[in-house]
Amino acid sequence: MLSALGILIAALGGLMFLPAAIDLAFFHDDWLVFVGGGSISVGFGVALFLAMRGQEGEWNVRKAILFVNGIWILVSLFASLPLYFSSLHLSFVDAFFETVSGLTTTGSTVLSGLDTMAPGLLFWRSFMQWIGGLGIVAISVTILPMLGSGGQKLFFLESSEQSDNPYPRIRDFAAKIALVYFVLTVSCAVSYFLLGMTFFEAINHAMTTVSTGGFSTSDGSMGHFNSMGILLAASFFMFLGGLPFLYMLRFFASDKPKDPQIALYVRGVIFATLLVFAAKEALHPDTGFEDLVLSLFNVISIVTTTGFASGDYQLWGPLFWAIFLGLTFFGACSGSTSGGLKQFRFVVAWLVIKDAVAKMVHPDRVVPMRYGLKVVDNDMAASTMCLVFLFFATFTVFAVLLEMSGLDFITSVSASATAIANVGPGLGEIIGPAGNFTSLPDIAKWLLSLEMILGRLEILSGLAIFMPAFWRW
């Protein structure tokens, strides 16, 4: 486990030389911070790998849980070094918060003045989200199904369950998924470039669109470009980023497995878009097409937990506050880069409710619950419902803690929601689409960093290490 973490940290350090080269090409002194941060990361990673190589024994569930926790915590610590050493003069908590937000593809930020920021730093923020998104997909189709966390066992790779050594199969799928991820990113970048972005803007926004991360090169986010075409392209690629990458891989291979969460995802986006559009038309009936594009863009941005903004939708009225806060929790599909509860859990919850009602009427009825072609047994259903409960319990606890740290009610609730669901902007004057998180007290930033990581760990995997039974097992 530790040797694998060493490899990841060393690889991360090597990647820091890319933004160093960009800053060097633009004659910006911040290239030195990337060289320094990269050298420290490579050195530590190589030393950890050499020290632990061949000494860790067999891989098991406990090591898998420690591994995914270690990824988000240690990688975030080392990835924050360039931001901490940079000319931005950030405190360590701000650098760590920004990095966690990037790697978890949350998109909350403490930075302003992005339009004039060093290109290497802008690229590093976008690149963190891109590699974080790829890592999220890899973990969601490999490790989380093995742990059975929150019903994720539904997505265990076929033929791996019966195999004593599923890792060759997993590596094969991971490589193909990475190819799909790369092709989508290139296609998105080309689309943005043709629609008016500069080459640098197109590359950065493509990485944060496909990863459903939401970092931008401008304080105005997507609204900076004032283009309906760019908003439509962003909506399309954010939507694809919310689909299961394994499904897209099989779709292109003419193998289309039935996945009920996709139908729910599509219907949910259509319904929410029409609801927002109808509400906007009632207020401003003369801007039909523009309202439709804005409605679609903002709904997909929140449902996929991307967090791009086309402007301050809070100005539309209190009704939209309620709609968008509700959409924050949903998320897109399991096996995608999005956060939130994930659509498959709503499907399973509905199956459980239907089964409970049916048994009230027909107590002797025995009909298995099916998710597509897979049977949802009692353990899987219980795991899913447990995760749903823990999701909202964690959101509530952190909202209370944030309010105790000095934040107002709206800021506390929306900050907790956006962190646990990995969305990005919250509500209110402070952290809304037109604001950022820089003025929050340090304790609030630490709490939100932890909550963002818990959201990405599917909560159970994060909370497990705090349970005494985990260490006795």
Side-chain angles (χ1 to χ4, degrees):
M1 178 195 74
L2 290 176
S3 60
L5 283 174
I7 293 173
L8 288 175
I9 293 170
L12 177 78
L15 293 173
M16 291 182 191
F17 289 90
L18 288 174
I22 292 174
D23 269 342
L24 191 60
F26 282 88
F27 304 103
H28 200 286
D29 290 341
D30 269 345
W31 70 271
L32 291 168
V33 305
F34 289 105
V35 171
S39 299
I40 293 171
S41 302
V42 170
F44 181 89
V46 170
L48 183 60
F49 169 73
L50 294 176
M52 301 305 299
R53 183 176 54 176
Q55 300 181 27
E56 299 184 273
E58 293 293 324
W59 186 272
N60 55 36
V61 173
R62 180 164 62 179
K63 287 185 178 179
I65 292 173
L66 290 172
F67 179 68
V68 293
N69 278 273
I71 287 175
W72 294 117
I73 296 171
L74 288 178
V75 171
S76 295
L77 284 171
F78 282 94
S80 66
L81 292 178
L83 291 173
Y84 180 58
F85 294 140
S86 73
S87 58
L88 298 174
H89 305 296
L90 297 178
S91 65
F92 183 75
V93 61
D94 281 349
F96 185 74
F97 177 91
E98 190 79 11
T99 301
V100 170
S101 179
L103 289 172
T104 60
T105 71
T106 301
S108 303
T109 184
V110 296
L111 301 180
S112 58
L114 299 176
D115 300 80
T116 57
M117 195 170 289
L121 290 170
L122 292 174
F123 178 84
W124 183 239
R125 293 172 76 246
S126 302
F127 195 51
M128 281 195 297
Q129 290 202 324
W130 193 77
I131 59 178
L134 183 58
I136 288 161
V137 175
I139 290 172
S140 69
V141 300
T142 56
I143 297 176
L144 291 182
M146 290 180 180
L147 302 178
S149 174
Q152 287 282 7
K153 194 174 181 180
L154 276 169
F155 304 100
F156 206 85
L157 296 177
E158 288 82 349
S159 83
S160 294
E161 296 173 283
Q162 292 79 31
S163 173
D164 292 331
N165 184 15
Y167 299 107
R169 175 86 167 168
I170 289 170
R171 286 197 297 267
D172 178 54
F173 271 107
K176 291 178 180 178
I177 287 170
L179 178 60
V180 173
Y181 191 74
F182 178 77
V183 170
L184 284 178
T185 305
V186 172
S187 302
C188 184
V190 171
S191 300
Y192 283 153
F193 181 72
L194 294 176
L195 288 166
M197 287 189 185
T198 66
F199 178 76
F200 183 75
E201 290 169 339
I203 292 294
N204 277 269
H205 285 91
M207 289 191 290
T208 60
T209 300
V210 174
S211 66
T212 60
F215 276 161
S216 178
T217 58
S218 170
D219 290 337
S221 190
M222 284 296 187
H224 167 78
F225 301 101
N226 194 29
S227 166
M228 292 295 107
I230 286 176
L231 294 185
L232 284 171
S235 301
F236 176 71
F237 284 103
M238 284 190 293
F239 180 82
L240 291 182
L243 289 172
F245 276 76
L246 193 59
Y247 181 89
M248 286 191 280
L249 175 63
R250 288 168 171 173
F251 183 87
F252 293 128
S254 300
D255 176 16
K256 304 177 182 63
K258 185 178 180 181
D259 194 343
Q261 67 173 334
I262 296 176
L264 182 60
Y265 172 46
V266 173
R267 291 168 186 163
V269 167
I270 293 173
F271 175 78
T273 299
L274 292 177
L275 176 64
V276 173
F277 174 62
K280 280 186 65 61
E281 279 296 285
L283 296 173
H284 305 287
D286 299 327
T287 54
F289 177 72
E290 182 178 335
D291 274 351
L292 182 61
V293 172
L294 290 173
S295 300
L296 177 68
F297 172 82
N298 283 285
V299 164
I300 293 180
S301 180
I302 293 176
V303 169
T304 61
T305 69
T306 305
F308 278 138
S310 59
D312 190 355
Y313 51 71
Q314 296 181 124
L315 300 178
W316 299 353
L319 172 63
F320 299 95
W321 288 44
I323 293 173
F324 289 130
L325 180 61
L327 291 176
T328 296
F329 296 104
F330 280 78
C333 299
S334 180
S336 72
T337 57
S338 74
L341 269 173
K342 307 292 196 309
Q343 297 292 308
F344 89 90
R345 292 194 175 97
F346 292 99
V347 176
V348 173
W350 176 241
L351 292 175
V352 171
I353 293 170
K354 284 203 306 181
D355 185 66
V357 172
K359 285 182 177 177
M360 288 175 62
V361 181
H362 304 287
D364 298 327
R365 178 180 182 268
V366 180
V367 178
M369 293 181 289
R370 290 190 178 275
Y371 181 93
L373 300 177
K374 295 188 176 183
V375 174
V376 179
D377 58 31
N378 290 335
D379 288 343
M380 203 176 295
S383 179
T384 302
M385 300 308 288
C386 177
L387 190 284
V388 173
F389 169 77
L390 283 175
F391 185 92
F392 286 106
T394 303
F395 153 71
T396 303
V397 169
F398 275 87
V400 171
L401 291 174
L402 288 169
E403 192 164 12
M404 291 173 62
S405 74
L407 303 183
D408 63 86
F409 178 76
I410 292 295
T411 302
S412 301
V413 169
S414 64
S416 182
T418 196
I420 195 68
N422 304 115
V423 174
L427 296 174
E429 295 181 2
I430 301 173
I431 61 170
N436 65 27
F437 290 70
T438 188
S439 62
L440 269 58
D442 285 354
I443 183 62
K445 293 171 187 173
W446 285 119
L447 287 170
L448 290 171
S449 297
L450 175 60
E451 194 176 8
M452 286 187 277
I453 292 173
L454 283 175
R456 273 307 173 197
L457 287 169
E458 299 276 332
I459 303 175
L460 280 170
S461 300
L463 293 179
I465 63 172
F466 297 103
M467 305 295 289
F470 174 81
W471 300 100
R472 291 196 300 266
W473 172 59

